[in-house]
Amino acid sequence: MRKLWRGVASALVASALAMFVAAGAQAQGAAAPAKDLVLRGDAKCTKCHDQDDNPALLDISRTKHGVKADARTPTCTSCHGESESHINKPAGAAERPKPDRTFKRNDTHTTPAAQSEACTSCHKGGHLIQWAGSAHERTQTSCSSCHSVHVAKDQVLVRATQAGVCYTCHKDVRAQTFAVSAHPIRQGVMSCSSCHAPHGSLSERFSLVKSSVNDTCYTCHAGKRGPFLWPHPPVVEDCGNCHNPHGTNIAPMLNARSPYLCQQCHIIGQHPNVLRSGNALPSNTVGNLGNANTAYLVGQACANCHTKVHGSNHPSGNAFTR
Amino acid sequence: MKVRTDNAAPARRPLALAVAAALLAAGTAHAEPMFQAPLYRGTDMSRYSDNFVEIGGGFNTQDSYKFGQWTGMTERGGYVLGNFNYSSRGAGDSPDYFWANGYNLGFDARDAALGYTSQGRFSVYGSYQGMPFYASDSTKFIFDGLGGTNLVARTSVIGATANPNAGTNPARINAALVPFDLDTQRDIWQVGGKLLFGGNFETYANYRQDNVDGNRLTYGAMFATGGNPRSNALALPVSETTHQFDAGLRWSTDKAQAQLTYWYSKYSPDASSLIWQNPFSIIAGWPAGSGYPNSYGQMSLDPGNTFNQITAQGAWNFMPGWRVNSSLQYSWGTQDAGYLAYYAPIGFAPGGGAIRNPATSSLDGKVDRWLFNIAVNGRPMPRLTLRAKYVYDDNNNKTAENFYRVVPGGLQQAAAPGVQNTPYGSYTVNRASVEADYQLLARTLLRGNYTYVNTKWVDEDRARTYDNIVGVELRQTASELFTGYLKYQYWNRSGSDFTWIAGAPPTPPYFLNNFVQNRVRAQADLGLSETVNLTLAADWSRRSYSEPSSGVDCGAQTGAWPDGNRCMGLQTSSWQTYTADLQWRPTEALSTFVFATYGDLSNDQFGRQINQGINNQNALWTASLAQKSNTYGLGTNYNVATKIDVGATYIYNEGRTNTGLTWGPALAALVPAPLAVPPSTYTLHSFQLYGKWAVTKTLTLRANWWYQKLNAFDYAYDGVNPWASDRTIFAGQNSGGYTNNFYGISIAYTGF
């Protein structure tokens, strides 16, 4: 009997001790501060948001914004705001309020300007120095309309996938890039940002990477810069006078076909004023042998002789034949 | 609590969840690339891991330069699929990491890059990109030495007459033709880096070198001035290098930012000219001895040039809600390549007396430009945003003007004193614009803007142009149900009198001429349901050129036919595009899209024939050029199971270029009488079926079938034999239709 009581007492003591230890441990666990997981100061967020979150918010650790050793990197609240009501759901609230600032295209909770302010509070200079007043800022395109901050590979920063982001709005350009003559955007060899500066630039039109259309084209086609001994006025003014760089039905990305393109300005003496019609086509002549007009209509038409239409540096090149 | 903070293989969470998470994180704007990256781009491993290496093979079923025009997939046969990406970025506790990647390694359009970053301190990188361009695989030439700068005509071309399509000459030309593919390869090398210091400073520098080698199509004319010109197709060798360097110093604080940048470009071609032997026998009007084999033509290639640009920019938030930014840019470019001689130094004694060489041995060309702008953006009231901007742009072509005793086609030099060069490209622009946004409702914006541009032209056909541009816009933003805009723009250009060419119908260059342009744009994004989004977009514009307000009476030139009181040249230019785009995501695992876009770019122009003994209003003609296109797309992507993605994309694109001609009675009476020009057309079918299967935690298998078919007809090339003209020998190329299948399979490893 004594053994029994001793056993019961021991069990009670042990149980009490275990309960005490457990309670202590529980109390200790409740009191321990939460640890940051991927960003400095993210604990108040990551106590709820974990790897299985949808979307995967913690994947920000795989981005430049997740490099804690860089003192400039933000924490969750740097962008989303302190979000007190989101963290501590108000009593009686049916749903947990959203964070102070959310990022989503067509977001009804946070205006595009407020979304962008979260980014421009740090990203002010460099490429962003012309952001205020730029085409995208004026159209209330927020940074997060194009950029994905929480994924390791931001599609708009990858040449092969960037255009797909731009086509979200620029749908006419998407179709133009399928034209039979176009810059290799759909092949992923070039991207929209090869020519365009989406954050604003010094160019007055099209938000180009350089301060004029021609300077932008010369980044790849530097041979056309000249100055030439015999320059061609529409060329030195704007490559776009004859070309549409997104693509057209007529190679090389021409707005109209020669000879008619040339005859939009050149109705002068000798051959430029002559109507070049289908009678010049070899298919309309006996034996497909053409006639005196054929050379002006087919092949490169005017450029069958005037090959140096971008300008000539030959002392005899005033007619762009040399 | 689960968390992954490094680049190791992902935790074994359900793949569907991972995919959905990635898509949602990306946002609807780019939940999925609208077009699956082409096969050669390889596996999109971003859903699985940052680090991967992929290897595989593919088979292309047909030779076609056009199919692989920009990639190098031009020949039937096997290709290696190779891609990799590696980043050593750790668990976030170290700012230092190394990265490297390479894509399309089995193709001409390959690229690779590597770099090292100490985030917040410095970074360096280097990269390579190959950019092929296959222009034609059906061109033929009548020269030996193709690919070089001295082309020698094949003797069998020569006949008793210089008419390529007379007598036995077609057969002679045909026998002499040498097939020669035209393509170029651009290799782009870049290195650079940046350094952050002092808390607010950053400096960077980049160097880029483009090497372009290959051949392009050109033509060479002999005796092109003075009548009876002849020309022939030539392979133009390309071997050039462009060096570009840019560097900058940036400073940034909360309230103000500034940067000073420099850009340098140097273009260096390896050759200065292309010489070809005149393949034509002598004809009436040509100097004695000028036919084959004694005469040569020489064409200048683009001369080397250098360019420098310094830009200073600054911005200051001078009070809450207000920001001013300004920039000053100075650019200067030079071109001083040595002149070519008037004649190729081979065998031809020109007519017209002694040749005077140019007064200088090179152009000593100089262009400089000053660009200044200042802009203020601010919010004087909570609902009102104002913007104002002023731009001064002064471009000066300072190239010296001289007289040149030009010998345009190698026939006879210009009479003394010769022809004076005109250094076009000088202008001064003053541009001022104001814009106001007013927040009508919480999410509704009303905008108005006005821009005035005063341009002073030097050496152009008119001295001044004045542009007035007015725009209004209504924009709805930040709504899940509807966002969109409606814009209208009115643009009017006027200017000073034109200087007309004596004896020619007044033809104002369209890029200087008066016009009125109306443009309407609208777009609506409709959230039809939680899973369906519809976008409708329209862009319509019409620019009507008009008679200058003074200095000419075009009505006296055109009379009543067909539309009196017009100058010659371009009359109207219009474009319109309409798009409907539907995206449907019924489940997180299934996404689909379908879209259609119609486009039309049209030009209407007037001409009047003033030769062939005709010079009256009955010799008027008109040309209406319309480039129409229809593009349709349909695609889906489905996460069949936790380890499998499949998808398909179909794109149809058709283009049709119509040339509508009308002519007056004087031209109808000509022999041969004018005829209609047939449309040029093409249709493209592109279908891709692809799938990815995560075989194990670290291995992913990808298979892909790509079908593409192009039908094309262009009257300028198809059916035009090299001998089809009586004065030009063509290259005989075709439009390059094809039907290709490309099958590929690859495996990617992500276990590192």
Side-chain angles (χ1 to χ4, degrees):
Chain A
M1 180 61 75
R2 186 179 295 178
K3 287 184 180 179
L4 177 62
W5 280 111
R6 191 179 296 157
V8 171
S10 298
L12 287 173
V13 170
S15 299
L17 186 62
M19 289 174 64
F20 177 80
V21 170
Q26 191 173 19
Q28 188 178 18
K35 291 183 178 178
D36 295 339
L37 292 181
V38 295
L39 301 174
R40 280 186 301 275
D42 71 7
K44 56 182 160 183
C45 305
T46 54
K47 68 182 181 184
C48 294
H49 296 285
D50 68 8
Q51 174 67 13
D52 286 340
D53 253 23
N54 184 0
L57 304 179
L58 299 193
D59 276 2
I60 199 169
S61 67
R62 303 158 68 197
T63 74
K64 290 183 178 180
H65 285 127
V67 178
K68 286 190 290 187
D70 182 352
R72 304 168 306 165
T73 53
T75 187
C76 310
T77 53
S78 304
C79 303
H80 291 282
E82 290 302 322
S83 308
E84 283 300 331
S85 62
H86 175 74
I87 295 172
N88 302 306
K89 180 182 172 185
E95 292 183 359
R96 182 180 295 275
K98 292 182 178 179
D100 292 350
R101 191 185 279 128
T102 54
F103 301 88
K104 182 182 171 186
R105 187 166 180 258
N106 299 337
D107 197 331
T108 56
H109 178 63
T110 308
T111 65
Q115 291 182 42
S116 293
E117 282 172 10
C119 307
T120 56
S121 63
C122 293
H123 299 277
K124 296 173 182 295
H127 298 302
L128 272 299
I129 199 168
Q130 298 287 340
W131 171 249
S134 68
H136 281 151
E137 189 266 347
R138 290 169 57 252
T139 54
Q140 304 198 350
T141 305
S142 69
C143 306
S144 56
S145 296
C146 306
H147 290 285
S148 301
V149 173
H150 284 267
V151 299
K153 189 173 287 185
D154 187 355
Q155 291 185 351
V156 80
L157 299 181
V158 178
R159 188 170 61 229
T161 55
Q162 182 188 84
V165 179
C166 303
Y167 296 158
T168 305
C169 297
H170 302 280
K171 297 182 185 297
D172 53 340
V173 177
R174 174 181 61 189
Q176 289 170 347
T177 60
F178 278 94
V180 75
S181 178
H183 274 121
I185 299 169
R186 65 183 166 97
Q187 291 86 350
V189 178
M190 288 179 69
S191 64
C192 304
S193 62
S194 299
C195 302
H196 295 282
H199 305 119
S201 77
L202 297 183
S203 69
E204 283 306 304
R205 296 184 300 158
F206 314 127
S207 195
L208 299 168
V209 294
K210 300 299 181 185
S211 57
S212 70
V213 171
N214 285 24
D215 274 355
T216 301
C217 301
Y218 298 152
T219 57
C220 288
H221 306 285
K224 303 294 180 270
R225 173 180 273 128
F228 293 96
L229 168 59
W230 308 105
H232 194 187
V235 176
V236 295
E237 193 211 341
D238 189 337
C239 304
N241 280 328
C242 298
H243 299 281
N244 179 345
H246 294 143
T248 76
N249 294 355
I250 303 166
M253 290 174 268
L254 290 171
N255 292 325
R257 177 187 292 281
S258 180
Y260 311 108
L261 173 64
C262 307
Q263 290 177 315
Q264 290 177 354
C265 291
H266 297 285
I267 300 292
I268 55 176
Q270 303 297 330
H271 55 275
N273 60 80
V274 175
L275 170 65
R276 306 298 174 184
S277 81
N279 69 31
L281 291 173
S283 56
N284 287 334
T285 60
V286 177
N288 291 346
L289 291 178
N291 56 36
N293 290 320
T294 302
Y296 300 95
L297 182 69
V298 302
Q300 298 188 164
C302 302
N304 287 336
C305 291
H306 304 281
T307 56
K308 305 296 292 183
V309 291
H310 295 110
S312 171
N313 206 53
H314 195 295
S316 291
N318 65 324
F320 306 127
T321 57
R322 285 290 182 268
Chain B
M1 186 69 66
K2 292 179 288 184
V3 62
R4 179 165 57 92
T5 59
D6 57 19
N7 284 320
R12 289 294 292 169
R13 57 178 174 166
L15 185 59
L17 186 62
V19 170
L23 293 179
L24 289 173
T28 55
H30 33 85
E32 180 77 3
M34 184 55 70
F35 308 108
Q36 181 70 15
L39 173 64
Y40 49 85
R41 176 56 59 178
T43 303
D44 173 9
M45 297 305 300
S46 61
R47 297 179 184 179
Y48 301 85
S49 171
D50 298 337
N51 294 344
F52 71 90
V53 58
E54 179 186 18
I55 189 74
F59 183 78
N60 183 19
T61 57
Q62 296 292 333
D63 289 345
S64 169
Y65 83 93
K66 190 73 176 173
F67 176 68
Q69 187 162 49
W70 290 102
T71 61
M73 299 161 62
T74 57
E75 296 182 358
R76 172 187 167 88
Y79 290 82
V80 172
L81 302 177
N83 305 285
F84 71 92
N85 184 70
Y86 173 73
S87 172
S88 69
R89 184 153 52 214
D93 294 330
S94 169
D96 304 326
Y97 50 90
F98 167 80
W99 58 269
N101 57 56
Y103 297 99
N104 306 328
L105 299 177
F107 298 93
D108 294 345
R110 63 182 61 87
D111 61 68
L114 58 83
Y116 181 82
T117 297
S118 180
Q119 193 169 310
R121 292 187 293 173
F122 71 90
S123 63
V124 292
Y125 76 96
S127 69
Y128 165 79
Q129 183 187 2
M131 187 183 293
F133 178 70
Y134 288 83
S136 178
D137 63 357
S138 56
T139 41
K140 306 177 188 68
F141 301 91
I142 56 168
F143 293 93
D144 289 324
L146 294 166
T149 57
N150 197 333
L151 305 181
V152 179
R154 310 189 85 197
T155 55
S156 58
V157 174
I158 308 308
T161 169
N163 182 343
N165 65 19
T168 59
N169 284 349
R172 288 174 178 270
I173 293 172
N174 203 32
L177 290 172
V178 178
F180 188 72
D181 295 351
L182 298 177
D183 57 76
T184 56
Q185 173 76 21
R186 179 184 291 264
D187 296 312
I188 305 172
W189 300 89
Q190 296 186 85
V191 294
K194 69 177 179 182
L195 173 68
L196 287 73
F197 61 97
N200 298 321
F201 288 92
E202 175 184 317
T203 185
Y204 69 89
N206 300 291
Y207 170 75
R208 166 177 166 166
Q209 179 173 313
D210 288 36
N211 300 317
V212 187
D213 288 288
N215 289 274
R216 297 184 179 125
L217 177 64
T218 191
Y219 279 77
M222 294 299 297
F223 313 118
T225 295
N228 298 316
R230 294 292 184 270
S231 71
N232 46 263
L234 300 169
L236 175 69
V238 179
S239 180
E240 61 191 34
T241 302
T242 302
H243 308 269
Q244 294 183 80
F245 172 78
D246 66 284
L249 176 65
R250 294 166 169 164
W251 170 78
S252 179
T253 67
D254 283 345
K255 284 200 168 184
Q257 302 83 38
Q259 61 181 12
L260 181 66
T261 58
Y262 171 68
W263 174 34
Y264 170 78
S265 170
K266 180 178 178 61
Y267 172 75
S268 301
D270 287 345
S272 59
S273 75
L274 171 64
I275 296 172
W276 73 98
Q277 189 175 25
N278 176 16
F280 296 98
S281 55
I282 190 168
I283 63 173
W286 289 8
S290 60
Y292 176 87
N294 296 321
S295 60
Y296 286 74
Q298 186 180 33
M299 177 190 304
S300 67
L301 307 185
D302 291 340
N305 62 63
T306 61
F307 180 78
N308 300 266
Q309 186 175 82
I310 296 176
T311 306
Q313 297 182 72
W316 178 35
N317 293 10
F318 57 95
M319 55 187 289
W322 287 84
R323 180 176 172 89
V324 58
N325 56 35
S326 182
S327 67
L328 178 65
Q329 183 178 85
Y330 178 64
S331 314
W332 68 101
T334 61
Q335 187 274 106
D336 199 25
Y339 285 141
L340 299 174
Y342 277 118
Y343 296 94
I346 304 173
F348 173 48
I355 298 299
R356 295 182 185 178
N357 283 319
T360 58
S361 60
S362 62
L363 181 64
D364 194 20
K366 297 175 183 172
V367 175
D368 68 13
R369 180 186 183 208
W370 284 97
L371 176 66
F372 169 76
N373 76 48
I374 183 167
V376 178
N377 300 266
R379 183 168 290 178
M381 296 188 297
R383 287 174 173 265
L384 181 66
T385 300
L386 295 178
R387 302 182 184 92
K389 187 174 186 181
Y390 168 74
V391 178
Y392 173 81
D393 188 353
D394 184 52
N395 198 70
N396 287 295
N397 187 341
K398 295 180 174 178
T399 302
E401 296 181 46
N402 280 306
F403 287 92
Y404 292 84
R405 301 293 300 276
V406 296
V407 192
L411 180 61
Q412 189 167 14
Q413 63 181 324
V419 179
Q420 187 174 17
N421 67 309
T422 304
Y424 292 109
S426 294
Y427 57 81
T428 303
V429 176
N430 283 278
R431 172 192 290 261
S433 59
V434 292
E435 182 171 82
D437 294 354
Y438 187 74
Q439 201 80 38
L440 284 178
L441 302 170
R443 308 188 190 286
T444 307
L445 187 75
L446 177 64
R447 168 175 294 154
N449 52 48
Y450 170 71
T451 301
Y452 173 74
V453 186
N454 182 321
T455 306
K456 175 185 176 184
W457 302 95
V458 179
D459 292 323
E460 280 288 5
D461 293 344
R462 72 191 316 187
R464 293 272 185 180
T465 55
Y466 314 106
D467 293 84
N468 289 276
I469 308 166
V470 179
V472 292
E473 177 179 342
L474 192 62
R475 180 174 288 271
Q476 173 78 11
T477 60
S479 165
E480 291 179 344
L481 299 177
F482 169 74
T483 63
Y485 60 81
L486 175 65
K487 297 181 185 179
Y488 169 73
Q489 184 192 67
Y490 171 83
W491 186 349
N492 177 287
R493 172 176 287 178
S494 59
S496 58
D497 292 353
F498 273 91
T499 300
W500 303 106
I501 299 173
T507 312
Y510 61 86
F511 51 94
L512 295 172
N513 196 14
N514 294 0
F515 65 78
V516 171
Q517 177 177 303
N518 290 283
R519 185 176 188 185
V520 179
R521 281 180 285 177
Q523 183 158 320
D525 292 317
L526 305 168
L528 301 182
S529 72
E530 288 188 356
T531 61
V532 180
N533 191 78
L534 174 66
T535 301
L536 302 172
D539 185 353
W540 178 93
S541 177
R542 181 179 176 85
R543 177 179 291 189
S544 298
Y545 295 90
S546 58
E547 178 180 339
S549 55
S550 60
V552 66
D553 180 6
C554 288
Q557 299 289 331
T558 57
W561 189 94
D563 183 8
N565 210 31
R566 297 283 188 92
C567 293
M568 296 294 107
L570 192 59
Q571 304 296 308
T572 63
S573 178
S574 61
W575 67 88
Q576 50 190 319
T577 64
Y578 306 99
T579 297
D581 187 317
L582 183 74
Q583 299 197 34
W584 180 41
R585 188 185 294 270
T587 69
E588 290 183 347
L590 178 63
S591 62
T592 63
F593 71 86
V594 57
F595 73 87
T597 297
Y598 169 77
D600 182 353
L601 169 64
S602 295
N603 296 303
D604 298 306
Q605 62 194 91
F606 280 11
R608 198 183 86 197
Q609 196 157 319
I610 58 176
N611 71 352
Q612 295 180 290
I614 303 170
N615 188 4
N616 57 52
Q617 295 170 5
N618 289 331
L620 286 165
W621 55 266
T622 72
S624 297
L625 314 173
Q627 297 189 48
K628 299 177 186 295
S629 64
N630 284 291
T631 310
Y632 307 106
L634 176 67
T636 186
N637 192 84
Y638 183 42
N639 313 133
V640 179
T642 57
K643 296 182 177 181
I644 299 175
D645 292 346
V646 295
T649 302
Y650 172 69
I651 303 292
Y652 173 80
N653 176 245
E654 66 172 6
R656 183 181 182 89
T657 304
N658 295 324
T659 305
L661 302 176
T662 64
W663 49 87
L667 300 183
L670 290 175
V671 177
L675 295 172
V677 172
S680 295
T681 60
Y682 69 88
T683 56
L684 173 72
H685 303 264
S686 181
F687 175 75
Q688 257 188 309
L689 181 65
Y690 54 90
K692 285 181 276 190
W693 174 32
V695 182
T696 70
K697 182 177 179 180
T698 57
L699 287 177
T700 300
L701 186 67
R702 184 183 189 190
N704 204 319
W705 168 40
W706 189 13
Y707 166 83
Q708 201 163 78
K709 179 181 177 66
L710 176 73
N711 293 318
F713 170 77
D714 188 331
Y715 69 78
Y717 301 109
D718 296 297
V720 177
N721 291 313
W723 57 88
S725 164
D726 60 1
R727 58 191 61 193
T728 295
I729 301 173
F730 299 111
Q733 75 269 39
N734 58 51
S735 293
Y738 59 83
T739 301
N740 278 59
N741 288 278
F742 194 102
Y743 307 97
I745 188 165
S746 60
I747 190 161
Y749 174 69
T750 62
F752 60 99

